Amino acid sequence: MSSPFAAAADQWREQLVALGFTDDGDHLRGPVRWHHSTTDQIHIARVEIRPGRTFPFLPPKVVLLDAGAPFETTFHANADGSLCLWTDDWAVDQAPWSRPGLLLDRIGGWLRKTAAGWPGDDDCDLERYLEQEHTDRRLVLYDASTLTPDRAVRTGPGPNPHTIVITNERRRVGDLDTGRRQRRRDRNLAWVADLGCITRPLRSWDDAAAALGPRASEVERLIAIGAVTHILFLYARGTRQGIFVVRVRKSSNAIRVTACESADASAATRMMRAGSAAPELSATRIAIVGCGAIGSFAADALFRAGARRLTLVDGELLRPGNVVRHLAGVGYVGWPKTEAVRACLTAVDPDITGIHVPWGRLDNLDEAEDLVRDHQVVLDATGSGCASSLLATAAESMGRTTGHAVVSACVQRDGDVLRVDRMPLRSGERYLPALPRLDSGTRLQERGCGSAVSPTPPGAVVAAAELAHQVVVDAALLTCELPASIAVVRRPQPEPLYNRIGTVTSDVLQDAAS
């Protein structure tokens, strides 16, 4: 350990010695006072503290040598016997374990809570109390919404070689025995069990058998003949529901139990990180016209945020040169851009039944008005003067009667400025002035393509898509928190209001004018 942490660690050891600990250079052993809330008595426990090479960046390992009173260790003790004192991550300069007084207080609190049965504690982390599975490191997936206890179900390969899936397909196992060759579908099964509300963790097969109750002998028989290789336990602690999966295998005269890393693949879990607006967005119809650079990333952001009723409009094919600034990679070259984007969305959620991809480009006012009428928000990410004019006209004619909006997003000055406008204007709103075009001089040209190529970098495209995403969500949910016109200046421009880095809105324009 290098200075200044070496000197601090030495001082930390000296302070523990002053509190009654002995120090052999590796381990520190000493007393900890704690209050037994049930008996209302003070006890003196003895613990061993091992700082280790990770100290002070991680807590020292603490092992209970003697509680000083009748005591049963239950929760918040790791599989190696050490105490789990902190679950939060701390910066090294703020770590509470670096102060001996706080460390001993924490140990005393752990003893008191353990003796009281951890009242109010609802951590659902039973997998931590078992030896971890190392021979088969595949992530075990399951759909918590389809699980039914007290049955054997099939397992199968997951979406990639690093996963295995516990299905809800029940298998009848009552007549399986060691004397009959098992069919492939009667091997590698999983048993689903419901432990109810637990009062102590499982640390061995004996604990698991006790929790299984009357079904323990049947499950043990299935494990012995190789039919059941996994057990999925449902349980509750306090008001929280938990699930953990173990690998089970017969070894000599015992059953070895190891905890697998597992995860719920249900739609509810997959949407937990989508944000609070996800339920409302899931029922909102949104169209994206232009599925190139900005449109593809905006579609991805909206889909991840919960939008499930999307219409993607674009008449172009994905070219090799597009992929640097596009959501889709080289594997989608030659696909219609709309189809490529829709296929990419399946990486987030395989259910894309609400994603519509009508083929063709937007080129007449009737189609533009239909889009505005049929969707709460239409995002214009075309960068096309014709398409943008059509949608702006439709927004003025149809948007005012339907309450629907068009959001136009673009990058200007080769990505130096990002701009998003919402149409039609609400009362009292106005747009930012247009940013004059500059003569870009030499224009980049892609062989085989007649259109000029903008040197806008990918980061600017993603930033513009995120800005568009914010405005689309604001318009879709009718929160009315964002102004009608927003420009983000990434590099100062010579024009007034654009000559500094930051966000420019019509409010800034009004303040500058006054």
Side-chain angles (χ1 to χ4, degrees):
M1 185 181 298
S2 60
S3 180
F5 295 114
D10 289 341
Q11 184 180 23
W12 178 83
R13 285 177 173 274
E14 292 171 1
Q15 291 174 347
L16 282 172
V17 169
L19 293 171
F21 279 72
T22 60
D23 186 359
D24 63 7
D26 185 17
H27 303 159
L28 296 105
R29 297 180 179 90
V32 174
R33 290 171 56 89
W34 65 281
H35 175 245
H36 198 306
S37 56
T38 303
T39 63
D40 198 28
Q41 293 182 332
I42 300 296
H43 300 283
I44 306 297
R46 286 191 59 78
V47 299
E48 180 178 85
I49 302 176
R50 311 169 188 169
R53 296 178 60 186
T54 61
F55 183 82
F57 297 92
L58 292 176
K61 183 174 290 187
V62 178
V63 176
L64 180 64
L65 302 176
D66 180 8
F71 193 85
E72 180 187 5
T73 299
T74 54
F75 297 104
H76 298 282
N78 299 314
D80 63 0
S82 62
L83 280 55
C84 178
L85 299 172
W86 282 278
T87 56
D88 296 330
D89 195 12
W90 292 78
V92 66
D93 58 337
Q94 299 175 347
W97 52 80
S98 62
R99 285 170 281 182
L102 292 181
L103 173 61
L104 299 187
D105 287 345
R106 191 76 172 189
I107 297 171
W110 183 94
L111 290 160
R112 175 177 53 81
K113 291 177 182 177
T114 301
W118 288 96
D121 184 78
D122 60 358
D123 284 355
C124 292
D125 55 356
L126 290 195
E127 60 279 354
R128 70 176 301 151
Y129 301 99
L130 289 163
E131 177 188 352
Q132 301 302 300
E133 176 61 39
H134 296 297
T135 59
D136 186 353
R137 292 296 305 275
R138 289 179 296 174
L139 181 67
V140 180
L141 304 177
Y142 54 83
D143 187 334
S145 64
T146 64
L147 297 173
T148 303
D150 295 329
R151 63 174 55 186
V153 295
R154 288 187 63 191
T155 65
N160 59 64
H162 303 288
T163 57
I164 181 174
V165 175
I166 295 178
T167 73
N168 64 342
E169 182 182 342
R170 183 175 184 177
R171 300 303 305 158
R172 297 187 180 277
V173 293
D175 58 347
L176 292 181
D177 58 57
T178 56
R180 193 179 76 176
R181 185 173 181 179
Q182 295 175 29
R183 295 168 294 183
R184 181 184 297 274
R185 58 183 178 177
D186 291 327
R187 299 198 301 266
N188 297 322
L189 303 179
W191 186 269
V192 181
D194 190 346
L195 305 182
C197 190
I198 60 167
T199 57
R200 55 180 45 83
L202 277 58
R203 298 181 182 274
S204 65
W205 170 250
D206 289 341
D207 292 341
L212 289 169
R215 306 306 296 267
S217 58
E218 171 68 359
V219 176
E220 187 167 354
R221 182 184 70 83
L222 294 171
I223 295 170
I225 64 176
V228 166
T229 57
H230 293 80
I231 303 178
L232 185 147
F233 291 103
L234 300 93
Y235 66 97
R237 283 203 71 200
T239 59
R240 294 182 60 188
Q241 304 294 317
I243 294 176
F244 73 109
V245 179
V246 300
R247 177 80 183 269
V248 287
R249 55 177 72 86
K250 190 74 172 180
S251 176
S252 301
N253 295 323
I255 294 179
R256 185 184 176 198
V257 181
T258 52
C260 303
E261 188 168 355
S262 63
D264 179 19
S266 68
T269 293
R270 285 187 282 108
M271 293 306 296
M272 288 174 66
R273 296 168 177 81
S276 58
E280 193 170 353
L281 281 177
S282 67
T284 302
R285 292 184 59 84
I286 299 172
I288 300 175
V289 184
C291 292
I294 295 176
S296 66
F297 285 105
D300 182 63
L302 288 165
F303 191 72
R304 291 174 185 272
R308 289 297 183 270
R309 303 180 69 187
L310 297 176
T311 299
L312 309 179
V313 181
D314 197 308
E316 295 183 352
L317 303 179
L318 188 71
R319 301 173 62 86
N322 295 142
V323 299
V324 171
R325 292 196 308 231
H326 201 276
L327 177 68
V330 293
Y332 293 101
V333 167
W335 285 42
K337 288 182 178 179
T338 53
E339 295 284 1
V341 171
R342 182 167 66 171
C344 288
L345 298 183
T346 62
V348 179
D349 188 341
D351 183 3
I352 54 171
T353 54
I355 312 299
H356 302 289
V357 287
W359 173 251
R361 67 182 72 243
L362 181 66
D363 57 11
N364 66 78
L365 186 57
D366 289 341
E367 291 178 349
E369 290 181 340
D370 287 343
L371 277 175
V372 174
R373 181 189 301 107
D374 295 341
H375 298 82
Q376 184 66 40
V377 184
V378 177
L379 172 60
D380 168 25
T382 61
S384 161
C386 174
S388 295
S389 296
L390 287 170
L391 289 171
T393 303
E396 288 298 323
S397 60
M398 303 303 301
R400 293 191 182 280
T401 59
T402 63
H404 297 178
V406 170
V407 173
S408 179
C410 65
V411 291
Q412 298 177 315
R413 303 283 173 86
D414 297 337
D416 290 347
V417 177
L418 319 176
R419 177 155 176 169
V420 176
D421 296 281
R422 172 182 38 78
M423 300 164 274
L425 290 172
R426 298 176 185 136
S427 176
E429 291 182 328
R430 58 175 170 170
Y431 295 119
L432 289 170
L435 187 62
R437 289 189 177 186
L438 297 180
D439 184 3
S440 59
T442 303
R443 298 173 61 185
L444 297 176
Q445 195 75 33
E446 177 186 338
R447 291 186 178 92
C449 179
S451 301
V453 175
S454 166
T456 298
V461 165
V462 175
E466 165 56 19
L467 182 62
H469 165 260
Q470 293 182 42
V471 178
V472 167
V473 171
D474 180 76
L477 303 184
L478 301 176
T479 50
C480 302
E481 294 177 351
L482 297 178
S485 193
I486 304 173
V488 175
V489 182
R490 293 162 54 87
R491 184 178 300 175
Q493 302 297 303
E495 289 79 9
L497 299 179
Y498 295 90
N499 58 2
R500 61 178 176 80
I501 294 176
T503 302
V504 182
T505 66
S506 54
D507 294 336
V508 175
L509 176 67
Q510 186 172 3
D511 292 342
S514 61

